[in-house]
């Protein structure tokens, strides 16, 4: 478990889960340790994703020895509804009420079914631009359950693009002109525009998994094989005068990836146009980050297409690296750590954009933390009262000892009465146990009549009738039915299988009735009867299969078909006193 000075953060991506532990030293943020786990399979398969997320978090918390730690975590941008709205420049409760009204108008779900939050991001004259985010309650509850099943304690929830924006401002404080962060994930790409105090974000449905899906389709292979092939040999074809790869298969794959990345470029241009129409400036530099940003030649491809410089985002440019980590190796993964750094800055930099989508469990925990001082004070008061009670007790100890001798005398008398009561109670219990089987047998006197009347009410027409009824004891007859005579209809049926290990049946308890019946025309005549039989309160006949039903269809020279049912009684019939 992390010490109280540590900050534990968790980034839950579509195909990678990353956990880190930071510390603060003289105002500087230091990365002490981190680890990550990849999720297998198509990131679009949400049904199989959460169990993997929970297992990955548990492995990471064990590996980093952070089990039971408080954690801030992010959720992907595509998982939330995001909207920028311009509102009158109000403050306090007036702005809260206005934003709540806008949330009710803009969020595509009933407001009581979502967790939502907002943050003013820029002010211009009499207007304020507000970032509004929302997520369905059941979705955030599912994510939080996965986090806490992974042996962590959720303390705050942020959105990945917002955490990444805070990390960028911390890492590149000198940036003045409009800059674009391109966070290329597995399932989506988050586009984050930062221009002074202004931000703008949008998630587009193009990422590394889209390229893998295109490869799988083009080469007729599974998604997993396509992903492995992309990771091993994939790159973005630069086209033009650049020669193709000497391997035709790899060259063809690079062109498939280029086609997917061309879609990404189109989405970037479209989003940039929207941002500029809203009053933003044209980006002069872009920073690549995210799990799929390391795809070879993606940076060069985007730089050529966008017409301005593209660099890899270094989330650790203003963060120290602890002695337990290899700074050079960590630096190779710096473009994947932006969300973790942004989360670690939540309680450090007051100028951060603050979005909190904490579910009810986390809110309840925070409320408890606020009340702890009062609870401790109350506990102290109870302790003082306990001390006073002990003093009072010592004062009355002598009186208690005097009364104790009197009570011991009374107890001896009552103990004798108690033994007599116990003896009578035991006799009553024994008599009740002896009477139970006799009572059950008496109740069974009219059971056969009730059963026959019940069957008669179910039959209802002359399409089905019964010619022989036989009681079964533990599902088996007491006698060999082959000796019942020439008119015994049971001889037409195959003898039911018996359980050789069951032993002799109890002759005092009827558990089933075996009914031999006849039906006209075909076995379809039985449907109505069987449907009524399934609703029976006497027989347990909800299921009809080869274990309790045998049908002999009518032959060409026969008047009727034959059927046999083994029907379990809901309440067995006791015929005599138990042995």
């Amino acid at each position: 478990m992390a010490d109280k000075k540590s900050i534990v953060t968790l980034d839950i991506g579509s195909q990678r889960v990353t956990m880190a532990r930071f510390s603060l030293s003289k105002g500087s943020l230091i990365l002490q340790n981190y680890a990550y786990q990849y999720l297998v399979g198509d990131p679009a398969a949400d049904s199989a994703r959460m169990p993997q997320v929970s297992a990955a978090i548990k492995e990471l918390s064990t590996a980093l020895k952070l089990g039971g730690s408080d954690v801030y975590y992010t959720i992907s941008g595509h998982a939330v509804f995001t909207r920028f709205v311009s509102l009158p420049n109000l403050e306090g409760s007036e702005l809260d009420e206005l934003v709540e009204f806008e949330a009710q108008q803009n969020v595509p779900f009933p407001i009581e079914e979502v967790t939502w939050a907002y943050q003013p991001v820029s002010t211009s004259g009499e207007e304020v631009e507000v970032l509004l985010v929302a997520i369905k309650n059941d979705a955030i509850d599912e994510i939080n359950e996965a986090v806490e099943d992974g042996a962590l304690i959720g303390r705050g929830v942020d959105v990945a693009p917002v955490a990444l924006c805070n990390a960028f401002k911390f890492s590149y404080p000198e940036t003045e002109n409009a800059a674009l962060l391109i966070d290329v994930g597995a399932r989506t790409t988050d586009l984050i525009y930062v221009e002074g105090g202004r931000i703008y974000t949008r998630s587009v449905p193009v990422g590394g998994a889209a390229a893998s899906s295109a490869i799988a389709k083009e080469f007729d292979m599974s998604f997993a094989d396509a992903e492995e092939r992309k990771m091993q040999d994939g790159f973005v074809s630069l086209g033009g005068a650049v020669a193709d790869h000497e391997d035709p298969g790899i060259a063809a794959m690079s062109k498939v990836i280029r086609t997917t990345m061309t879609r990404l470029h189109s989405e970037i241009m479209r989003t940039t146009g929207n941002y500029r129409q809203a009053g933003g400036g044209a980006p002069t530099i872009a920073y690549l980050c995210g799990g799929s940003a390391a795809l070879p030649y993606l940076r060069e491809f985007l730089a050529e297409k966008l017409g301005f410089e593209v660099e890899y985002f270094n989330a650790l440019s203003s963060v120290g690296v602890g002695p337990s980590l290899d700074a050079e190796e960590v630096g190779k993964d710096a473009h994947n750590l932006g969300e973790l750094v942004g989360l670690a800055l939540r309680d450090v930099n007051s100028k951060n954009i603050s979005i909190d989508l904490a579910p009810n469990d986390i809110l309840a925990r925070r409320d408890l933390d606020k009340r702890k001082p009062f609870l401790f004070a109350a506990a102290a008061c109870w302790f003082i009262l306990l001390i006073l009670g002990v003093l009072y007790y010592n004062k009355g100890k002598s009186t208690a000892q005097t009364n104790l001798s009197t009570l011991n005398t009374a107890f001896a008398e009552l103990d004798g009465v108690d033994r007599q009561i116990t003896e009578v109670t035991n006799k009553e219990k024994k008599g009740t146990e002896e009477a139970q089987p006799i009572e059950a047998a008496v109740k069974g006197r009219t059971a056969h009549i009730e059963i026959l009347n019940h069957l008669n009410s179910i039959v209802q027409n002359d399409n089905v009738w019964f010619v022989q009824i036989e009681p079964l004891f533990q599902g088996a007859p007491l006698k060999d039915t082959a000796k019942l005579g020439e008119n015994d209809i049971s001889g037409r049926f195959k003898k039911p299988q018996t359980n050789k290990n069951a032993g002799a049946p109890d002759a005092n308890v009827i558990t089933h009735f075996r009914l031999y019946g006849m039906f006209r025309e075909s076995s379809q005549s039985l449907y109505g009867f069987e449907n009524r039989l399934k609703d029976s309160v006497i027989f347990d006949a909800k299921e009809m299969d080869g274990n309790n039903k045998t049908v002999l269809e009518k032959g060409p020279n026969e008047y009727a078909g034959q059927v046999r049912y083994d029907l379990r009684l809901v309440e067995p019939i006791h015929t005599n006193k138990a042995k």
Side-chain angles (χ1 to χ4, degrees), residues 6 11 24 48 53 59 90 96 104 110-111 212 262 292 301 317 332 341 403 441 446 504 526 533-534 536 546 559 568:
S6 295
D11 177 31
L24 286 172
V53 170
E59 289 186 23
L90 304 176
D96 292 340
Q104 293 172 346
I111 199 66
S212 299
T262 300
S292 297
F301 170 81
S317 62
K332 296 177 182 179
V341 172
N403 293 334
T446 61
L526 300 172
L533 188 61
K534 290 178 181 179
S536 171
Y559 170 71
R568 177 185 294 275

Side-chain angles (χ1 to χ4, degrees), residues 282-293:
T284 58
I285 189 171
Y287 295 89
L288 264 180
C289 55
S292 297

Side-chain angles (χ1 to χ4, degrees), residues 109-132:
F109 308 105
I111 199 66
E112 65 273 7
E113 295 181 7
V114 299
T115 297
W116 63 279
Y118 80 93
Q119 171 71 37
V121 293
S122 66
T123 303
S124 176
E126 297 181 355
E127 287 191 342
V128 58
E129 189 172 33
V130 171
L131 169 61
L132 173 65

Side-chain angles (χ1 to χ4, degrees), residues 57-92:
I57 294 172
K58 187 172 294 185
E59 289 186 23
L60 293 173
S61 63
T62 300
L64 298 177
K65 299 180 180 179
L66 295 177
S69 298
D70 293 347
V71 65
Y72 292 110
Y73 62 90
T74 65
I75 52 180
S76 300
H78 74 270
V80 301
F81 169 84
T82 304
R83 181 66 56 85
F84 288 86
V85 292
S86 294
L87 301 173
N89 193 0
L90 304 176
E91 294 182 357

Side-chain angles (χ1 to χ4, degrees), residues 404-415:
L404 180 62
S405 60
T406 305
L407 290 174
N408 285 336
T409 302
F411 176 79
E413 297 176 357
L414 293 174
D415 186 57

Side-chain angles (χ1 to χ4, degrees), residues 22 29 163-175 181 194 287 289 311-320 334-335 337-343 345 349 352:
F22 294 88
L29 188 65
L164 192 58
C165 178
N166 288 330
F168 175 80
K169 289 184 173 183
F170 179 73
S171 302
Y172 299 87
E174 71 283 355
T175 302
L181 274 76
V194 182
Y287 295 89
C289 55
E311 298 180 1
Y312 286 107
F313 175 48
N314 182 8
L316 301 180
S317 62
S318 299
V319 177
H335 62 282
L337 305 180
E339 289 85 349
L340 298 172
V341 172
L343 284 171
L345 295 169
N349 191 347
N352 280 340

